[in-house]
Amino acid sequence: MAAALLLGMFKLAAGRLDLEKLASLASDPALHAPTLVLPLGVGASDSPDDTPVVFMHGMGDDGGNPGMQSLAKTVTARYPRKYAVALRVADGMASILEPMDRQLAEFVAAVRADPRLAHGFDAVGLSQGNLIVRAYVERYVNDPPVRRLVSVCGPQEGIGTCPNNPVYELICPLWKLDKYGAGIAFSGYWKGVTDRAAYLAHNAFLPDINNERAVKNETYRANMRRLEEYVLIEAEWDTMLVPRETSQHGFWPWGAEYGRLVPLEKSEGYAGDWIGLRSLSEAGRLRKLLFKGDHLRFSSEWWAEHVLPVFA
């Protein structure tokens, strides 16, 4: 009876979701990747590396938006030998309302449909898009392979509260009715630290790709260990990711919401090398970067100095 009542409430709330308002909020450029240009003095490089670069956008964004297109253009402007593309996958509203597994399937299809990516590529994920890219590396035999993975403000260990953001404020009342089963993207990386058993039992996405369940997937660990480099970028004043340290695989301890932060190196996952992060770190292939700004609000200068050299 209780389950039937909950389902009825969920359907009622979903029916009242103002999709037009949600679409309007999601189209706000302030929520999208910033529009960048190469700074003066940063010209074309003669680097012989011609590895393509794939960009995957975050929630509410679109691969065709000016910001995403500009990120790809900075790569080709700096490295003319390269092919760079911002994938048109789960664009706009789909990035909010589609479950993570469906978005992942679309990403895989787009990558495998592009012959220029057939021999491998570097990948850049922005915000939610990071989880899509990392799930691709782990689950899909990394084929075609990702060489270098750059995570920009990604909720790698999940999000512990509904962010103070107009888009989230509209969808969170619906999400709160069934946090792990709401069928929207956010449900796939919500982590309620007060109940570990519920998280492991009911969240179908994040515990899987973080290899958190009792039986570990050795393929996931092996595929991540094959990365040439894994770069984790955190925004020092991030108001979208709570806690912000999730972007570098940090999070609150179990049982203590807003508790003292457990950094990556002190976590169970690192100690057990659940997804190969300790192996990557010990081999010098895991790097952390920090920029002063809010979620995804990095400058052209910072991008050119710290991120573009990764693809040289």
Side-chain angles (χ1 to χ4, degrees):
M1 181 64 71
L5 179 61
L6 180 61
L7 180 60
M9 292 172 62
F10 183 81
K11 288 181 176 178
L12 179 62
R16 291 177 177 174
L17 184 62
D18 190 337
L19 296 180
E20 186 174 332
K21 183 178 181 180
L22 182 60
S24 176
L25 291 172
S27 66
D28 183 354
L31 302 178
H32 301 164
T35 300
L36 304 186
V37 294
L38 281 185
L40 291 176
V42 180
S45 166
D46 59 358
S47 170
D49 190 325
D50 60 357
T51 305
V53 182
V54 169
F55 289 83
M56 180 61 203
H57 64 77
M59 177 182 280
D61 210 343
D62 183 313
N65 278 340
M68 293 302 299
Q69 290 295 308
S70 75
L71 292 177
K73 288 176 181 176
T74 64
V75 172
T76 54
R78 181 69 174 130
Y79 305 110
R81 296 174 184 266
K82 289 184 179 289
Y83 165 66
V85 59
L87 293 183
R88 302 299 305 272
V89 169
D91 286 336
M93 290 280 285
S95 68
I96 300 171
L97 299 177
E98 285 189 359
M100 295 295 282
D101 282 320
R102 187 180 304 169
Q103 295 187 42
L104 173 59
E106 293 175 18
F107 178 88
V108 174
V111 165
R112 292 180 175 174
D114 190 335
R116 289 166 290 190
L117 305 178
H119 300 294
F121 56 96
D122 294 334
V124 181
L126 284 85
S127 195
Q128 175 181 286
N130 287 289
L131 298 179
I132 300 295
V133 179
R134 181 158 64 83
Y136 167 84
V137 171
E138 294 179 17
R139 286 184 178 176
Y140 284 84
V141 200
N142 202 19
D143 180 26
V146 172
R147 288 182 51 194
R148 293 168 286 211
L149 176 54
V150 178
S151 167
V152 187
C153 301
Q156 300 293 354
E157 294 297 318
I159 290 183
T161 188
C162 206
N164 182 21
N165 169 278
V167 170
Y168 280 102
E169 287 173 1
L170 191 61
I171 64 172
C172 278
L174 168 63
W175 159 77
K176 286 179 179 178
L177 292 175
D178 187 3
K179 293 180 178 179
Y180 295 123
I184 57 178
F186 185 41
S187 293
Y189 51 94
W190 161 253
K191 180 183 283 187
V193 295
T194 58
D195 193 338
R196 186 175 192 174
Y199 164 73
L200 294 174
H202 301 300
N203 188 321
F205 187 78
L206 191 65
D208 179 64
I209 68 167
N210 281 357
N211 228 358
E212 294 179 83
R213 296 194 171 95
V215 178
K216 306 305 179 190
N217 189 314
E218 293 298 330
T219 299
Y220 291 3
R221 177 167 26 210
N223 286 342
M224 285 293 290
R225 282 173 172 169
R226 292 190 184 101
L227 289 174
E228 294 181 15
E229 190 168 22
Y230 185 30
V231 182
L232 298 166
I233 299 173
E234 178 182 329
E236 186 173 359
W237 306 322
D238 203 320
T239 58
M240 182 77 78
L241 301 186
V242 182
R244 64 180 174 84
E245 292 87 353
T246 183
S247 58
Q248 295 185 342
H249 288 275
F251 213 76
W252 303 317
W254 287 108
E257 193 173 39
Y258 296 99
R260 186 172 182 175
L261 202 287
V262 179
L264 166 63
E265 293 78 8
K266 299 295 184 181
S267 68
E268 288 181 84
Y270 185 86
D273 209 25
W274 292 351
I275 57 170
L277 300 186
R278 180 166 54 82
S279 293
L280 288 172
S281 179
E282 291 173 351
R285 291 184 280 132
L286 187 150
R287 187 152 54 103
K288 295 181 178 181
L289 298 174
L290 180 74
F291 67 88
K292 294 184 180 299
D294 202 346
H295 191 70
L296 299 181
R297 303 272 67 92
F298 46 86
S299 67
S300 295
E301 291 74 18
W302 188 89
W303 177 263
E305 180 179 354
H306 296 283
V307 181
L308 287 181
V310 173
F311 311 121

